[in-house]
Amino acid sequence: MTVRRLSLAALVLILLAVGVLALFQRQIGTRVLERIADSQVGRDTVATLPDGLNVALCGTGSPMPDPTRAGPCSAVMVGGKVFLIDSGEGSARNLSRMGIPAGRIEAIFLTHFHSDHIDGLGPVLMQRWIGGTYTRPTPLFGPEGVEAVVDGFNTAYALDATYRSAHHGPALAPPSGRGATASTFSAVAAAGPAGLVVYRADGLVVTAFTVDHGPVHPSVGYRFDYAGRSAVFSGDTVASARLTTMARGADLLIHEALQPSLLGAVERRLDERDLPHLAQIMRDIVNYHATPEQAADTAREAGVDALVLNHLVPPQPLDYGYAAFLGDARKHYDGPITVGEDGMLFSLPRGADTIVRKRLF
């Protein structure tokens, strides 16, 4: 009898709670959204970072659909400035979610011109321009060919820019600051034994070096050095002695990774569903990407302190699958290996040898 009374009382309370939620849905919804705005609007993670080299993952995905990942994009934050490496689809939204103001972007570095590495540039360039009320375009660094990318985006967004200047006024949207300007460097020079320094300011040195992503030429990676700390970004590449040389002694290696054993399952399903052209693409892409095991070999041979995998192929929407994605990588390298996720932050403080990992969302 007592149990029945308790059950009835619990049911009444549940019904009352549901009724209250329904009755005050508008007020409760407004308050929840206000709380979200309080915590997110105007958030500036960059201002809270320690002095040193700070690396955030604003996109760890690939052209294949993954609801948990934006297209390839990494951010290096130094001295209050933000430097992007590539800008795949969705990267602007992730930067906002992480509290990395686009208005702080100092420059963007492209590894190559595959669509998935540049298709997020439009929103990033627009938000950087408006967010910082810049009077000069965003410097966009890359090897030969970056001029065509810049011209294309500037043309595609030209009308959008006139609308924004007309609506908000030239003080908030200075017409001279829209879009990007090409900062072209020589791929031949970047193929030299020490790479090519393409940026140097306020203690930060950025070195470009060629990698092997054939038939995509030119294709480069980047090394960032600051305050005795270093991070290397592979770009898209097969296993490469060149990358190993340029990553020598780095604190952090951010390396692309494709797991053929898992991609094979995608290929077989496409064949079974009579989509041979798409299945052939799955077979083709294996020969110009590195496996997790090969990335681990590079990390070991270069003597880096930690390895982070990004540009994950095939998609990895569940962390339960990471063991399958990694394969035997942990047998090839005994340092820490992280399967990259959007929103991750790795801080390399000045005067230390630690790497502090956090989540920004």
Side-chain angles (χ1 to χ4, degrees):
M1 188 69 174
T2 303
V3 174
R4 288 183 179 179
R5 287 176 179 172
L6 287 174
S7 298
L8 180 59
L11 178 60
V12 170
L13 287 174
I14 291 171
L15 291 174
L16 284 172
V18 171
V20 169
L21 288 173
L23 184 62
F24 295 101
Q25 182 178 0
R26 180 175 177 177
Q27 294 90 333
I28 293 171
T30 298
R31 185 57 185 150
V32 168
L33 291 174
E34 287 175 346
R35 291 290 297 272
I36 293 172
D38 288 342
S39 64
Q40 294 297 321
V41 175
R43 178 183 171 204
D44 189 349
T45 297
V46 181
T48 69
L49 296 174
D51 183 27
L53 203 61
N54 299 279
V55 177
L57 305 183
C58 39
T60 57
S62 72
M64 302 177 71
D66 184 340
T68 65
R69 289 178 166 83
C73 174
S74 300
V76 173
M77 293 160 286
V78 171
K81 297 177 180 178
V82 176
F83 302 84
L84 294 190
I85 300 90
D86 291 332
S87 183
E89 184 180 7
S91 53
R93 293 183 183 181
N94 272 354
L95 287 170
S96 180
R97 291 180 67 195
M98 290 187 287
I100 301 175
R104 285 189 178 270
I105 294 173
E106 184 74 7
I108 302 173
F109 297 85
L110 298 182
T111 61
H112 63 294
F113 312 128
H114 257 149
S115 59
D116 61 309
H117 290 254
I118 65 173
D119 54 8
L121 275 172
V124 166
L125 293 174
M126 186 275 290
Q127 291 183 23
R128 186 257 189 189
W129 168 41
I130 299 298
T133 61
Y134 284 96
T135 58
R136 294 185 177 181
T138 307
L140 194 63
F141 287 80
E144 296 88 350
V146 71
E147 308 93 336
V149 173
V150 165
D151 289 345
F153 275 95
N154 284 349
T155 299
Y157 280 78
L159 287 175
D160 174 80
T162 64
Y163 303 150
R164 297 185 189 280
S165 294
H167 187 193
H168 303 296
L172 289 179
S176 61
R178 74 171 187 89
T181 185
S183 295
T184 310
F185 58 81
S186 167
V188 172
L196 176 68
V197 174
V198 295
Y199 183 94
R200 187 194 299 269
D202 302 318
L204 174 66
V205 179
V206 182
T207 305
F209 56 91
T210 53
V211 294
D212 184 0
H213 191 42
V216 180
H217 301 290
S219 190
V220 302
Y222 293 98
R223 177 172 177 136
F224 284 68
D225 287 276
Y226 176 78
R229 309 306 300 270
S230 52
V232 174
F233 300 84
S234 72
D236 285 5
T237 182
V238 296
S240 165
R242 172 81 172 143
L243 173 59
T244 302
T245 297
M246 294 305 301
R248 188 93 51 202
D251 295 286
L252 190 65
L253 172 61
I254 298 89
H255 199 301
E256 66 121 43
L258 177 150
Q259 181 50 263
S261 64
L262 298 181
L263 189 64
V266 177
E267 175 194 325
R268 289 190 293 275
R269 297 303 182 278
L270 290 169
D271 274 327
E272 291 169 1
R273 288 161 174 75
D274 196 26
L275 296 167
H277 56 299
L278 295 178
Q280 184 59 47
I281 289 174
M282 297 303 105
R283 287 187 282 272
D284 289 343
I285 63 176
V286 172
N287 66 15
Y288 67 173
H289 290 286
T291 68
E293 291 88 350
Q294 289 170 331
D297 285 336
T298 298
R300 184 191 72 251
E301 293 164 7
V304 303
D305 291 339
L307 171 64
V308 177
L309 301 179
N310 72 347
H311 195 278
L312 307 181
V313 180
Q316 298 296 307
L318 300 174
D319 58 8
Y320 187 77
Y322 289 173
F325 180 79
L326 287 171
D328 291 327
R330 297 195 189 279
K331 296 179 181 179
H332 293 239
Y333 171 65
D334 59 8
I337 302 176
T338 301
V339 178
E341 297 176 357
D342 292 12
M344 284 182 171
L345 171 70
F346 301 85
S347 289
L348 288 63
R350 177 193 288 271
D353 58 4
T354 56
I355 300 176
V356 181
R357 176 175 142 185
K358 296 180 180 179
R359 293 301 302 256
L360 297 180
F361 63 71

